[in-house]
Amino acid sequence: MVRGRPREEGIDDAVRVAVRALLTETGYQRCTIDAVAARAGVGKAAVYRRWRSKAELVFAAVIHPVELEPPEDTGSLLGDVAAVLTVIESSLDGVELRQALPSLLADVRADPALEARFGEVFLGRERGYLVLMLERAVARGELSRRPDPALVHAILLGPVLTWLHLFTETPPSGGLAASLASPLHAAVAALGA
Amino acid sequence: MVRGRPREEGIDDAVRVAVRALLTETGYQRCTIDAVAARAGVGKAAVYRRWRSKAELVFAAVIHPVELEPPEDTGSLLGDVAAVLTVIESSLDGVELRQALPSLLADVRADPALEARFGEVFLGRERGYLVLMLERAVARGELSRRPDPALVHAILLGPVLTWLHLFTETPPSGGLAASLASPLHAAVAALGA
């Protein structure tokens, strides 16, 4: 299909739409950078300028972009934890991602340079925002010290990732993020007590 | 290499050793059931009788067998959580598994019948043992009600899995399971309060 080429600022959106469509229609293996460029109607060079690998392109299109919104300040650590869990759940949910994630992680694992870049770009960005959340809780007097952000990252991300991508059952009544907010707030509070 | 065929009762051990060796030497893709049978010096039929798929064979050889030991009764929920986390950490640790797990999960995800069997055999078994742990805590008066075992499963497994298989850093000083025991005990206690 021939389409008009989107302007520079429209490329990211066009790529995102193309990745999601290709994951649904053909799966991760056949969602190549060339196929994405063709589907989005943009030049391959434009795609390679933005993304060094297919895994990165798919991650940014489906899970979250490199630039994240700072976490919402709800006024309390419990509220902030609930908001972060909702963001994590919506980032990791979806049948296309459920199909694609193991292959994406296998690609990342097979390439140490890519793995290092992933840790820096995506995980590092996520963790930076958790530090903001934790420092707000310390400033409010809800935590007496800032816990290890890596542990907090594992404690908030891990249960959502495990439920959505390892378990086969439907989320608990009331929703996954809402069900995890109170226990995982207790975990973070215990770390920073 | 020609080796004597192990007796029936030795087959599981021989297969386990062969899987680990092949994962280290050749990686998951080339660790086929045929290669495992040849390396273990057992008939392919014997391997297929025990394991319906390569993913199941590798999971049982590297992560945990179908029959798990019941979780240790340490006398307190905090101690039991710490013991379970230590078991989870040692099951999921190791460079071969770090390389193999994404491909193994991709195989499972690609086959709904295999995914259902995995949920039933491995995750179901794990969850059954967590129920024992939770019921002991209720009987001791440490929890006022038994929390949803699926949520507890995600809360204990998720952070360990995420740290060992998604993060690239070394475990926190003092060890991963020990660092997570107190916050995740607080999470389980909050769920069962």
Side-chain angles (χ1 to χ4, degrees), chain B residues 25-45:
Chain B
E25 292 166 21
T26 69
Y28 179 81
Q29 299 308 331
R30 294 170 66 192
C31 175
T32 61
I33 291 190
D34 288 5
V36 168
R39 176 69 170 243
V42 303
K44 279 194 270 186

Side-chain angles (χ1 to χ4, degrees), chain B residues 159-182:
Chain B
V160 180
L161 182 68
T162 297
W163 191 294
L164 294 178
H165 290 270
L166 199 64
F167 294 174
T168 50
E169 62 231 280
T170 52
S173 62
L176 182 59
S179 302
L180 288 170
S182 165

Side-chain angles (χ1 to χ4, degrees), chain A residues 98-99 102 105-106 109 115 123 127 150-151 153-155 157-159 162-163 165-169 180 183 186-187 190-191, chain B residues 98-99 102 105-106 109 115 123 127 150-151 153-155 157-159 162-163 165-169 180 183 186-187 190-191:
Chain A
R98 193 170 156 83
Q99 289 293 336
L105 294 177
R109 186 69 72 244
E115 186 170 51
L123 299 177
R127 198 163 299 171
L151 279 175
H153 197 192
I155 285 171
L157 172 57
T162 297
W163 190 293
H165 289 271
L166 198 64
F167 294 174
T168 50
E169 61 228 281
L180 288 170
L191 270 181
Chain B
R98 192 169 157 82
Q99 290 293 336
L105 293 177
R109 186 69 71 247
E115 186 170 50
L123 299 177
R127 198 163 298 170
L151 279 174
H153 196 192
I155 286 171
L157 172 57
T162 297
W163 191 294
H165 290 270
L166 199 64
F167 294 174
T168 50
E169 62 231 280
L180 288 170
L191 270 182

Side-chain angles (χ1 to χ4, degrees), chain A residues 54-132:
Chain A
K54 162 180 160 173
E56 222 173 303
L57 170 75
V58 172
F59 190 105
V62 181
I63 302 182
H64 69 71
V66 172
E67 298 299 333
L68 284 173
E69 294 290 313
E72 187 183 351
D73 183 350
T74 66
S76 73
L77 180 59
L78 175 58
D80 287 4
V81 165
V84 166
L85 289 170
T86 301
V87 170
I88 296 173
E89 183 182 6
S90 65
S91 296
L92 291 177
D93 208 1
V95 66
E96 304 86 13
L97 184 59
R98 193 170 156 83
Q99 289 293 336
L101 192 65
S103 302
L104 191 163
L105 294 177
D107 277 0
V108 172
R109 186 69 72 244
D111 179 346
L114 180 58
E115 186 170 51
R117 192 169 147 78
F118 249 79
E120 189 187 317
V121 172
F122 294 110
L123 299 177
R125 203 62 61 115
E126 294 167 19
R127 198 163 299 171
Y129 286 127
L130 292 179
V131 167
L132 295 180

